[in-house]
Amino acid sequence: MRFVIIGAGRVGLRTARVLRDEDHEVTMVERDEPTRRRARDQGFTVVDGDGSREDILEEAGVTTADAVGALTGDLNVNFTACMIANHYGCRTVMRIDEAYREGIYRKYADQVDEIIYPERLGAIGAKNALLGGTIRAIADIAPHLQVVELTLTDAAPVNGYTISELQLPADATVLAFGKRDQPLGIPTEDLSLEDGDRLVVLADFDVLSEVRQLLVGETATKAAANAGTGSSSAATELLEGEADSETDSDTGGVN
């Protein structure tokens, strides 16, 4: 496939290297001379100029490209480049800064194919490294949606359930499942949930707290703090219900 990358800075150059490593053809557009020279030193074809100009994009090959990535730090350049690329039938990817994420996404989401915010992706990686263990954010799909991978613990209320018995909140869906130390795959209804199993879940930010309580066994307070949102009622009710059952059991309520 053929790609045009606008901006040979940190984000653009790394993206170009990944594409080239997968044997794709990449042409870059960059107006800053030292940045342009660095990309050329790494073997890339780089067009000198402003990526928001149609003649420069045509020189870079937009007329025959499969996709254009507008990855500069200038939002106006990125958006204009995407609109030109869209005219030529290219898939368009536009970079925005974290500070613009919510408003710009709502305003421009229908006019480009994909919006990315590298600062947010970097923050996800840092958060995963800091938290470690049982929860790993994979990606933000939209302003209020995130894909997370969670590892079940022996404290999870759903430990011992089957996939068919698992009831996540309405705004959460299981995308993949893997037994301990085995590859992820499409879940089947009769699979049992056990300590060490992994689930990949697509969830609205508003229910991440509840998902964490159900699948990892965090307390409502800790789950709400880690998810950045308040706790939801269903997980709380499930936990309280199990606590009631333990109190009524032969153990006399001793855990």
Side-chain angles (χ1 to χ4, degrees):
M1 297 178 69
R2 296 193 68 254
F3 298 92
V4 175
I5 301 297
I6 316 300
R10 174 179 53 87
V11 176
L13 193 55
R14 289 181 179 178
T15 303
R17 286 198 297 262
V18 171
L19 290 169
R20 185 177 61 183
D21 289 346
E22 295 179 359
D23 296 324
H24 297 294
E25 182 181 343
V26 181
T27 300
M28 308 194 75
V29 176
E30 176 58 57
R31 58 187 175 187
D32 178 70
E33 195 278 330
T35 305
R36 191 167 58 246
R37 184 174 61 248
R38 181 178 60 184
R40 285 175 176 159
D41 288 344
Q42 295 188 30
F44 289 102
T45 299
V46 187
V47 173
D48 177 7
D50 182 344
S52 64
R53 288 177 49 186
E54 187 169 4
D55 60 329
I56 296 297
L57 291 178
E58 288 176 344
E59 183 181 349
V62 69
T63 58
T64 57
D66 295 290
V68 168
L71 306 180
T72 78
D74 188 322
L75 178 61
N76 292 325
V77 169
N78 292 346
F79 182 69
T80 302
C82 285
M83 294 304 95
I84 295 170
N86 184 61
H87 171 73
Y88 287 102
C90 300
R91 175 175 172 78
T92 55
V93 176
M94 184 176 80
R95 171 188 173 183
I96 63 175
D97 294 332
E98 175 70 9
Y100 293 107
R101 182 165 68 95
E102 298 287 348
I104 295 301
Y105 187 93
R106 287 193 296 269
K107 187 173 181 180
Y108 297 128
D110 292 336
Q111 301 183 60
V112 298
D113 292 303
E114 195 79 33
I115 290 178
I116 63 167
Y117 3 98
E119 291 82 359
R120 174 62 182 171
L121 296 176
I124 287 175
K127 178 181 178 181
N128 289 335
L130 289 166
L131 290 176
T134 57
I135 301 168
R136 184 169 69 94
I138 298 175
D140 282 352
I141 303 302
H144 299 289
L145 289 175
Q146 189 173 84
V147 177
V148 293
E149 179 184 302
L150 304 104
T151 301
L152 266 73
T153 70
D154 58 5
V158 298
N159 201 335
Y161 286 28
T162 63
I163 291 290
S164 63
E165 295 171 327
L166 177 62
Q167 294 185 1
L168 293 180
D171 292 330
T173 303
V174 175
L175 302 178
F177 174 81
K179 302 298 290 182
R180 181 193 291 267
D181 300 325
Q182 294 184 15
L184 291 168
I186 303 299
T188 57
E189 291 188 350
D190 59 345
L191 286 169
S192 62
L193 299 173
E194 300 170 336
D195 183 18
D197 292 348
R198 292 171 297 140
L199 290 98
V200 175
V201 177
L202 171 66
D204 189 287
F205 284 170
D206 288 342
V207 299
L208 278 177
S209 171
E210 180 177 345
V211 170
R212 294 171 74 107
Q213 291 177 68
L214 291 171
L215 299 183
V216 181
E218 291 182 339
T219 64
T221 301
K222 183 176 181 181
N226 287 337
T229 183
S231 61
S232 301
S233 60
T236 304
E237 290 172 2
L238 188 153
L239 291 167
E240 289 175 348
E242 292 199 350
D244 290 341
S245 336
E246 289 175 345
T247 303
D248 292 337
S249 69
D250 290 338
T251 64
V254 178
N255 294 329

